[in-house]
Amino acid sequence: MAVYKVKVATGDVSEAGTVNSISITLVGSCGESSRTTISSLLLPRTEKHLTVRCARDLGPIVLIRLHKWRLFLEDAWFCKDVHVTAPDGTLYRFPCYLWLEGVITVEVREGSGKKLVDDDLEILREHRRKELEARREAYQWKNFAEGWPRCLNVDSIQELDSNIQFSCVRATNFTGLLLFQGATHLLSGFLLRPTSWRSLDEMRSIFSRTRGREIGGFLLCPPKKS
C-alpha cells in the first residue's frame, strides 16, 4: 500500500470557493490512482488536506487530474495549487491558478519547467498536444477591417473563457491607473488647455512641477538629478 499526502489550496480571489464536488487523480510514471474526492465545499483562501491510497507506488508523479462535478447549481472554483507528498517524502508541486467551470476535468503538470525534449513519457507528450489544441481553439483570429491588426474571433468578452478574461482585480487596478494619470495630466495643465504649447521648454517646466506632488494618495517621485 502506497500512501500519498495531498494539499489542495483554493485561491483568494473573489468567489474562488465552490460547493460543487471536486476530486483528484494522481498520475505517475508507473500508473495512476483512483479518483479521490477532495470535498464538496471549498472556501476561498483555505487548504484542504487528504490522503490518497494506492495499491502500489505510482513512481514520480507527473500529472494530476482535477475533476469538477456540478451537484445542483453551477459554482465555479478557482484552484491555486496542489502539493503531493510521495511515500518516500518527495514533494511534488502543481501550480494551477485556473477557474474550473461546469462539469470538467483539468490536467495539471508538475511545476518543474520542463521543455518538450524532456517529455520522455507519452502521457506528457499527449498532454502538450491537447494543451496546444485547446489554445488554438481559444485564440482564433479574425480580420476586423482591411489593414487593421488581427483581433480575437469573438463578438463579446463574455464569450471568452474566465481564465482569459481580465480579472476584477486587474480591471480595477487598470481603471485606477487611468484615473491617476488623468488627474496628473489635469493638474499639470495638459488637459483642458485652451491654447497651444508655445515651446518644448514650457512643456518640460509644467510636467516637472507635477513631480514630487501627492495626487490621489500617490506620491510622484521627483526627477533624478543629472
Side-chain angles (χ1 to χ4, degrees), residues 86-135:
D88 63 359
T90 303
L91 177 62
Y92 300 92
R93 297 179 174 86
F94 297 86
C96 188
Y97 299 95
L98 291 174
W99 283 102
L100 277 67
E101 299 177 313
V103 178
I104 190 174
T105 295
V106 174
E107 290 186 343
V108 182
R109 292 175 63 112
E110 200 265 327
S112 55
K114 292 183 178 179
K115 302 184 293 295
L116 178 61
V117 295
D118 300 322
D119 290 342
D120 52 351
L121 299 175
E122 177 58 29
I123 190 172
L124 293 179
R125 292 192 288 268
E126 178 64 19
H127 176 265
R128 283 192 188 271
R129 286 193 290 267
K130 290 181 179 179
E131 185 178 52
L132 181 58
E133 291 174 1
R135 290 181 180 274

Side-chain angles (χ1 to χ4, degrees), residues 6-24 36-48 50 64-70 73-83 94 96-106 108 161-163:
V6 180
K7 181 180 69 174
V8 181
T10 300
D12 59 357
V13 298
S14 177
E15 300 181 352
T18 184
V19 295
N20 288 178
S21 179
I22 307 294
S23 56
I24 188 172
T36 304
T37 300
I38 298 173
S39 178
S40 58
L41 175 61
L42 294 170
L43 301 177
R45 299 178 295 277
T46 59
E47 297 176 348
K48 188 72 175 181
L50 64 146
I64 61 169
R65 297 192 185 104
L66 296 171
H67 315 276
K68 179 176 174 294
W69 179 260
R70 183 170 57 240
L73 298 176
E74 165 60 20
D75 190 16
W77 174 52
F78 186 81
C79 177
K80 178 183 176 184
D81 56 32
V82 177
H83 289 180
F94 297 86
C96 188
Y97 299 95
L98 291 174
W99 283 102
L100 277 67
E101 299 177 313
V103 178
I104 190 174
T105 295
V106 174
V108 182
D161 184 87
S162 296
N163 295 298

Side-chain angles (χ1 to χ4, degrees), residues 132-149:
L132 181 58
E133 291 174 1
R135 290 181 180 274
R136 284 173 174 169
E137 183 177 354
Y139 299 100
Q140 297 184 25
W141 301 103
K142 67 178 180 182
N143 289 324
F144 178 75
E146 185 66 28
W148 282 64

